[in-house]
Amino acid sequence: MFFEIAIDMAVDDHAFTLDFSSDAKLTALVGPSGVGKTSSLNAIAGLLRPRSGRIVVDGQVLFDSAGGVDLPPEKRRAGYVFQDARLFPHKRVAANLAYGERLAPAGASIVTRDEVARLLEISHLLDRLPATLSGGEARRVAIGRALLCAPRFLLLDEPLASLDEDRAETLLTLMERLRDELSLPMLLVSHSSAEVHRLAGRVVKLA
Amino acid sequence: MSLTAAEWTIVALSLKVSVVAVLVTLPVSYGLAWLIARRRFPGRMLLDALVHLPLVLPPVVTGWLLLILLGRGGAIGGWLYDTFGITLVFNWTGAAVAAGVMALPLMVRAMRLSIEAVDRRLVGAARTLGATPLRAFLTITLPLSLPGIAAGAMLGFARSLGEFGATITFAANIEGETRTLPLAIYSQLQVPGSEDAVARLAVIAIVLSLGALLASEWLVRRSQGARAHVL
């Protein structure tokens, strides 16, 4: 199993449970706005603590309230692509890309910086500051930064939202390649049924 | 306008006291600012209020409290003297302590605002990329709050230059030792016919304070936009 997740969440005043197992390479998490999709990704990444439950990804226990396991985010090694890109504003694109790469365990990398720059077409952006990037450019850099930290799995939060059609198509193709060429479990949050239909081997509804 | 040797001594002493006060207070202020901005703990509001106390208390009361705590017979001062032979009262280090304590609220405030302005989600992003909490702090929070540190330091420096009440109470008014600009002006005012000397010292005080204040405003605006203020 790639994902075995059964958690009880309480975020602000909203309580919900997420319970699924999936052995699909790419699992999509869908549901109406505000239902807790992003919170679920945060919990899996270790940024939010579930009230109780168990999170196992690719055989590794990341969180288990009964067993007293709660790995900090830096030990979980999630490649998390945030919806808002969340690039470091004081670092140039090259430094953003290198941030996680430098901290990755030796020999664990799944792609090189050159490959990332070529795949995502961001070679010409390396000297720029995030504030000068368009939404699509920032998104691509964020994906590159996540891939370079030698992740054990990927969390993608609306990676194609608010991109124009051409850009979305390019990224969609790229995500298909990532799905097929890397053996990384991927969890995708999306509102687009077309995107989900095309990428996901398994769809989990959160309601 | 040329200054006499005695006036230069006063200016140099003022600068020394203020620089040392800011340098010593800086890490303390940043630590307090970070605690108040980022941590939720019982007594946080009380800590915030205590930090701001020197801002609203009569400075002479702050000076008296310092005398009680740090004087040779005081709880901390007695220990410092017995253990290290250090005396803070009636010398320039005492003036620096008084100035630092008075500058603390302004410094904490400027730094707290700039730490709060750092998006916490960026720290979360750094953590997912493999950074420990310490590394995330050093590479994200600290550099992004640097303008607040600089602004706080400038503001604290300006405040230290102007410190009077706590200094004269705690460190006294000793020529060449604790007689900083404001204390020198006060002393000159007691001497008949010294209007010129008072005016010269006052001009120096205005120039130094205005310079520090403008520098801190400039630093904050440069980093946080034209409508940001440090005060």
Side-chain angles (χ1 to χ4, degrees):
Chain A
M1 280 293 160
F2 278 155
F3 291 101
E4 299 167 71
I5 291 166
I7 46 175
D8 231 334
M9 298 281 297
V11 184
D12 298 327
D13 284 335
H14 177 58
F16 63 95
T17 58
L18 178 68
D19 191 347
F20 74 93
S21 300
S22 172
D23 55 6
K25 275 186 128 182
L26 194 149
T27 304
L29 191 57
V30 301
S33 295
V35 78
K37 300 188 294 296
T38 298
S39 299
S40 300
L41 292 191
N42 284 340
I44 296 167
L47 297 175
L48 259 184
R49 196 193 160 90
R51 267 195 310 204
S52 65
R54 201 171 139 82
I55 299 171
V56 183
V57 178
D58 209 5
Q60 192 186 9
V61 180
L62 304 180
F63 178 82
D64 183 4
S65 56
V69 179
D70 185 8
L71 291 186
E74 65 270 23
K75 294 255 167 65
R76 299 195 184 195
R77 309 239 325 271
Y80 194 164
V81 179
F82 301 92
Q83 197 181 345
D84 57 355
R86 219 168 285 184
L87 299 177
F88 304 130
H90 57 307
K91 292 178 182 289
R92 291 180 194 281
V93 167
N96 265 281
L97 290 172
Y99 192 92
E101 190 186 19
R102 277 192 306 148
L103 301 173
S109 82
I110 51 167
V111 282
T112 66
R113 215 182 295 188
D114 288 344
E115 282 168 346
V116 157
R118 201 180 54 244
L119 273 174
L120 295 162
E121 297 167 43
I122 51 177
S123 310
H124 60 295
L125 303 173
L126 293 176
D127 286 333
R128 302 257 294 268
L129 281 168
T132 69
L133 301 179
S134 73
E137 289 169 341
R139 197 74 57 78
R140 270 140 63 206
V141 174
I143 294 174
R145 184 177 71 172
L147 289 176
L148 280 169
C149 78
R152 296 184 49 253
F153 57 102
L154 288 181
L155 303 171
L156 306 158
D157 196 356
E158 301 268 7
L160 304 186
S162 70
L163 292 186
D164 63 58
E165 246 172 73
D166 285 355
R167 256 327 154 205
E169 179 54 38
T170 314
L171 274 186
L172 210 49
T173 312
L174 175 78
M175 291 198 323
E176 281 177 324
R177 285 188 57 186
L178 292 175
R179 180 194 61 192
D180 298 335
E181 289 174 17
L182 306 171
S183 56
L184 285 186
M186 295 162 80
L187 188 59
L188 167 80
V189 162
S190 176
H191 274 115
S192 151
S193 49
E195 191 180 315
V196 168
H197 186 72
R198 191 164 144 188
L199 291 171
R202 166 84 199 276
V203 178
V204 176
K205 281 203 176 63
L206 195 59
Chain B
M1 189 174 90
S2 63
L3 302 182
T4 65
E7 285 166 347
W8 274 118
T9 309
I10 292 161
V11 171
L13 176 69
S14 284
L15 292 176
K16 177 169 84 170
V17 164
S18 300
V19 167
V20 169
V22 167
L23 287 181
V24 172
T25 311
L26 200 69
V28 180
S29 311
Y30 194 84
L32 289 167
W34 185 84
L35 272 179
I36 293 166
R38 288 297 203 225
R39 295 279 125 176
R40 295 290 169 270
F41 53 91
R44 179 173 152 273
M45 266 176 68
L46 182 65
L47 180 69
D48 197 14
L50 280 174
V51 163
H52 280 87
L53 207 55
L55 200 62
V56 289
L57 218 53
V60 65
V61 175
T62 304
W64 175 74
L65 286 171
L66 287 176
L67 211 48
I68 287 182
L69 284 173
L70 299 176
R72 250 189 223 178
I76 303 169
W79 174 79
L80 278 177
Y81 183 69
D82 293 340
T83 321
F84 304 105
I86 296 173
T87 312
L88 293 173
V89 195
F90 307 138
N91 60 43
W92 76 270
T93 50
V97 167
V101 168
M102 294 304 289
L104 185 81
L106 291 173
M107 292 173 71
V108 170
R109 193 176 162 73
M111 292 178 197
R112 197 192 78 196
L113 289 175
S114 76
I115 292 170
E116 281 171 352
V118 177
D119 191 343
R120 301 180 80 145
R121 295 174 308 171
L122 292 174
V123 176
R127 297 288 304 279
T128 68
L129 289 166
T132 59
L134 178 65
R135 180 181 284 270
F137 168 77
L138 292 174
T139 55
I140 308 297
T141 310
L142 188 63
L144 284 173
S145 61
L146 217 51
I149 298 177
M154 280 300 177
L155 207 54
F157 178 73
R159 180 67 188 78
S160 295
L161 275 178
E163 206 335 268
F164 179 79
T167 308
I168 204 165
T169 312
F170 177 57
N173 185 0
I174 303 164
E175 195 177 351
E177 196 59 58
T178 70
R179 187 172 292 170
T180 54
L181 261 171
L183 273 67
I185 293 171
Y186 173 77
S187 302
Q188 285 293 336
L189 280 169
Q190 319 291 309
V191 181
S194 62
E195 289 80 5
D196 286 357
V198 170
R200 279 209 299 273
L201 290 171
V203 168
I204 298 167
I206 290 166
V207 168
L208 286 176
S209 307
L210 201 59
L213 212 51
L214 287 174
S216 68
E217 279 282 342
W218 178 77
L219 282 168
V220 167
R221 277 175 199 228
R222 204 184 62 153
S223 63
Q224 288 166 27
R227 272 176 296 172
H229 294 286
V230 69
L231 289 174

